[in-house]
Amino acid sequence: MWAYELQEFGIDGLRRTEQPDPVPGLGEVVVKLHASSLNFRDLMVVEGTYNPRMKLPAIPFSDGAGEVVSVGGGVTKWQAGDRVMPIFAQLWMDGDPNAEIRRSSLGAGRPWDGTLREYAVFNENGLVAIPTFLDYGQAATLPCAALTAWHALIKSGGIKPGDTVVTLGTGGVSIFALQFARMAGARVIATSSSDQKLARLKELGADETINYRESEDWDKAVLELTSGRGADHVVEVGGADTLPRSINATRFGGHIAMIGALTGAASFNPTSVFMKAVRVQGIYVGNRRMFEEMVQAIEVNGSKPMIDTVFGFDDVAAALNHMKQGSHFGKIVIDYSKGGLQ
Ligand SMILES: NC(=O)c1ccc[n+]([C@@H]2O[C@H](COP(=O)([O-])OP(=O)(O)OC[C@H]3O[C@@H](n4cnc5c(N)ncnc54)[C@H](OP(=O)(O)O)[C@@H]3O)[C@@H](O)[C@H]2O)c1
């Protein structure tokens, strides 16, 4: 089978290799992967900023979708032909994560090799069924970004109809958060650095939009839009540079889902967290139970992921460079049937 290995850090350090086809052991399933999608983490892994001590070579990317082609002894959940997605942290079935579970996250070093390959073997418990109406490319966007947004708003946030949600930017997590917030009947105030993207956010259902580049104090704009009260939830993907404004934009007793670190290393004064009794909750992707619940909700609501661009399997470097450039709106997908490799 073919697999992309990261042999040295950097986009140019990705090489396509030939490897032996995997054979399923007891309780294991072999999946032929048909697509993967990129997360910001994958770019960091490839560039060596996620874990500079990560041992190489390793197969990157956490997200994928494919079909079961063979099963090992004792497998009861799956059979050949089933359409599946691997869960992000292979050992995380339910409850809170721990260090061992976190280490089982795909695509950030061996032994938990990622999805940028033709076949992969998973424990039967490490897979979730694809929503019936989604194709492989669409399904490949769900394991990390969608589940993180679901966890943030539905599980951690306990979002209710009429709540106000702020989303930051137009990356994968933020657009799923917009979609789930609308599904839950919430009002969404969405930010972006681009007016063109703001118009697209409106089309997707954002109630109000703010250009955070033109209005640097976007937190004040959120307060104005909420009659001084502040938002019930902020989906915080920005990190150090955006967190102080996110706290300011949140109502007393509100909820900040702390997800990402796209920006800088500004120092942070925690006073306003307790003075406003804000709940800042760290979110680590999500477990299998959450993933299954999210799939059910997607099935019922018929919502489709927002895909920015689909690249062929030969164009992985171009896909990573596209993410790095930051002009995307939603998810970047790699379709393994494109590129003359099958
Ligand atoms: N904790 C977890 O489990 C978890 C899971 C998934 C992702 N994450 C993290 O969440 C973050 C987002 O991930 P992603 O995959 O959605 O990334 P992505 O698709 O690469 O999102 C990039 C977008 O973020 C926006 N952005 C950049 N700087 C911003 C700023 N200062 N203020 C507001 N928006 C800004 C930009 O949107 P515009 O072009 O519209 O301005 C940019 O296009 C990353 O840090 C990632 O590592 C964490």
Side-chain angles (χ1 to χ4, degrees):
M1 68 164 193
W2 31 263
Y4 273 91
E5 268 189 355
L6 186 64
Q7 296 186 342
E8 51 192 89
F9 288 127
I11 294 174
D12 293 343
L14 271 174
R15 311 271 152 68
R16 213 164 72 212
T17 61
E18 272 301 315
Q19 307 209 356
D21 288 351
V23 177
L26 208 61
E28 290 180 339
V29 169
V30 173
V31 176
K32 180 173 171 60
L33 291 158
H34 289 296
S36 56
S37 83
L38 272 65
N39 292 288
F40 192 72
R41 169 183 181 264
D42 302 317
L43 181 60
M44 293 175 77
V45 165
V46 168
E47 295 201 314
T49 54
Y50 187 76
N51 174 11
R53 286 173 303 170
M54 190 179 106
K55 290 211 172 64
L56 300 180
I59 298 173
F61 289 16
S62 61
D63 287 7
E67 68 183 296
V68 172
V69 288
S70 61
V71 301
V75 168
T76 56
K77 286 192 163 79
W78 309 105
Q79 57 187 23
D82 286 345
R83 297 178 343 121
V84 292
M85 304 161 285
I87 58 177
F88 181 88
Q90 283 286 298
L91 298 179
W92 195 11
M93 302 298 127
D94 205 352
D96 290 328
N98 57 39
E100 192 192 2
I101 282 171
R102 205 187 57 212
R103 275 194 295 276
S104 74
S105 302
L106 294 174
R110 294 206 158 130
W112 299 101
D113 262 337
T115 54
L116 203 48
R117 51 181 158 158
E118 189 177 10
Y119 294 101
V121 64
F122 299 101
N123 185 281
E124 68 166 331
N125 295 316
L127 298 167
V128 166
I130 292 175
T132 47
F133 66 99
L134 295 187
D135 63 28
Y136 288 117
Q138 292 166 330
T141 67
L142 301 182
C144 178
L147 186 56
T148 303
W150 177 265
H151 184 177
L153 288 176
I154 310 292
K155 302 307 282 186
S156 169
I159 186 174
K160 299 185 301 301
D163 279 359
T164 300
V165 173
V166 174
T167 58
L168 306 184
T170 55
V173 174
S174 300
I175 291 194
F176 277 118
L178 161 63
Q179 291 176 317
F180 292 143
R182 295 294 301 161
M183 205 188 265
R187 170 192 182 193
V188 178
I189 302 174
T191 74
S192 173
S193 57
S194 141
D195 285 341
Q196 235 179 350
K197 289 183 174 184
L198 290 174
R200 295 184 69 189
L201 286 168
K202 281 253 180 194
E203 281 166 24
L204 276 184
D207 297 274
E208 284 99 7
T209 56
I210 304 167
N211 186 319
Y212 67 79
R213 194 154 286 158
E214 280 169 14
S215 313
E216 272 190 25
D217 43 4
W218 55 267
D219 48 329
K220 291 193 184 129
V222 171
L223 291 173
E224 272 167 33
L225 288 167
T226 54
S227 309
R229 180 174 179 267
D232 299 287
H233 311 269
V234 177
V235 181
E236 202 355 298
V237 294
D241 287 355
T242 51
L243 182 58
R245 289 193 192 281
S246 291
I247 295 167
N248 200 34
T250 304
R251 71 165 168 84
F252 279 71
H255 164 242
I256 297 176
M258 198 66 223
I259 292 172
L262 288 167
T263 63
S267 62
F268 166 64
N269 179 352
T271 312
S272 52
V273 173
F274 53 81
M275 292 307 276
K276 287 181 79 176
V278 166
R279 183 164 64 91
V280 180
Q281 176 65 55
I283 301 291
Y284 188 67
V285 190
N287 59 39
R288 194 185 74 191
R289 180 186 289 269
M290 294 176 204
F291 199 168
E292 287 171 341
E293 287 169 1
M294 179 184 78
V295 164
Q296 275 178 0
I298 288 173
E299 199 76 73
V300 168
N301 286 278
S303 61
K304 290 196 172 166
M306 171 53 63
I307 293 178
D308 174 86
T309 318
V310 179
F311 288 86
F313 198 67
D314 287 331
D315 295 327
V316 175
L320 285 160
N321 279 314
H322 184 55
M323 166 158 268
K324 194 170 174 174
Q325 191 208 339
S327 63
H328 58 288
F329 184 88
K331 295 298 294 179
I332 300 166
V333 167
I334 315 270
D335 179 345
Y336 295 0
S337 68
K338 281 180 155 184
L341 287 161
Q342 288 192 337

